Amino acid sequence: DAGVIQSPRHEVTEMGQEVTLRCKPISGHDYLFWYRQTMMRGLELLIYFNNNVPIDDSGMPEDRFSAKMPNASFSTLKIQPSEPRDSAVYFCASSYTRLASDTQYFGPGTRLTVL
Amino acid sequence: RKEVEQDPGPFNVPEGATVAFNCTYSNSASQSFFWYRQDCRKEPKLLMSVYSSGNEDGRFTAQLNRASQYISLLIRDSKLSDSATYLCVVNDPSGNTGKLIFGQGTTLQVKP
């Protein structure tokens, strides 16, 4: 079975440019999570969806960040305009239920560098 | 205070050694606990859940002390392939959601 798929795997862009990160969750999983990982702050939850609906976006750093999930098999995280401090690894994860005991499966991540 | 605290290490140990990692969490209402493993430049993957009675999976033993809000992971007979970062994870009990809170991780390097 395919796991969580993310694209691109690497992205290098210049400050001020728009960046779009993509995620395809595991089929049948109702929950999708977007995380950001940096050396300084570790792994932080940005936003998560249930059945394509955003449930909690309190982790989104500011208005420059937006996320959508138009259908059960696709989600995007957009940064516009991008800044050097947005450089990080962005992970998408999915799980079957909302139960805290349910495993979250992570995608390989997108390594973003903003120059 | 961080919600989940871990010693970042690194822990440098020889093959065959026994090594233990500890983690503390701040919210006593948390009910679910995990250890995730993250290899260099890879995604986190679930290593094992942590149950109140303690649980073992091969060379790995996890224990939970709710009174002290403390979680541990013991690795026996360590292998070179155990080199990774180990993330302590607890659920966010507010709002009854599936949100998880990750510690910063403890890095293990197993040397030949």
Side-chain angles (χ1 to χ4, degrees):
Chain A
D1 289 341
V4 175
I5 299 171
Q6 290 187 248
S7 64
R9 295 291 303 276
H10 301 272
E11 177 81 29
V12 180
T13 191
E14 292 189 344
M15 183 173 64
Q17 296 298 305
E18 177 179 298
V19 175
T20 299
L21 311 181
R22 297 173 176 81
C23 175
K24 175 179 168 56
I26 293 171
S27 178
H29 281 191
D30 294 333
Y31 285 79
L32 183 141
F33 305 82
W34 280 102
Y35 290 89
R36 177 172 69 175
Q37 187 174 39
T38 61
M39 289 291 290
M40 289 295 295
R41 300 174 66 91
L43 200 62
E44 303 173 283
L45 178 66
L46 300 177
I47 185 171
Y48 80 95
F49 295 82
N50 173 220
N51 290 326
N52 315 337
V53 177
I55 303 300
D56 184 347
D57 65 355
S58 59
M60 296 285 259
E62 49 198 271
D63 291 346
R64 297 186 297 108
F65 285 69
S66 63
K68 293 182 180 179
M69 192 165 185
N71 58 62
S73 58
F74 183 65
S75 177
T76 60
L77 178 68
K78 186 174 293 187
I79 309 173
Q80 166 62 19
S82 58
E83 297 182 3
R85 60 191 167 127
D86 301 331
S87 297
V89 181
Y90 291 81
F91 289 105
C92 176
S94 69
S95 67
Y96 180 56
T97 72
R98 66 169 171 77
L99 293 175
S101 57
D102 196 39
T103 302
Q104 289 187 18
Y105 295 88
F106 283 74
T110 295
R111 189 170 296 273
L112 174 65
T113 302
V114 183
L115 303 174
Chain B
R1 182 185 172 189
K2 289 182 181 177
E3 293 175 282
V4 179
E5 292 206 55
Q6 297 181 249
D7 179 347
F11 285 60
N12 295 302
V13 303
E15 272 187 290
T18 295
V19 62
F21 307 138
N22 304 317
C23 161
T24 57
Y25 60 96
S26 61
N27 195 324
S28 59
S30 289
Q31 293 294 323
S32 298
F33 310 91
F34 312 90
W35 285 100
Y36 273 68
R37 170 188 169 135
Q38 187 172 22
D39 292 312
C40 187
R41 301 181 76 85
K42 298 285 190 180
E43 70 273 23
K45 292 183 180 179
L46 178 68
L47 176 67
M48 60 195 302
S49 301
V50 186
Y51 303 117
S52 296
S53 55
N55 49 296
E56 190 173 303
D57 183 1
R59 298 182 291 109
F60 298 81
T61 300
Q63 295 202 313
L64 169 65
N65 183 322
R66 287 186 186 272
S68 302
Q69 294 176 214
Y70 171 97
I71 306 163
S72 66
L73 177 68
L74 182 78
I75 306 175
R76 291 182 299 278
D77 187 23
S78 52
K79 312 290 185 191
L80 295 175
S81 57
D82 294 335
S83 297
T85 296
Y86 291 83
L87 303 168
C88 177
V89 185
V90 306
N91 75 296
D92 179 346
S94 60
N96 194 26
T97 70
K99 289 172 64 174
L100 300 177
I101 303 168
F102 287 76
Q104 293 268 83
T106 298
T107 298
L108 171 66
Q109 281 285 346
V110 181
K111 306 288 188 182

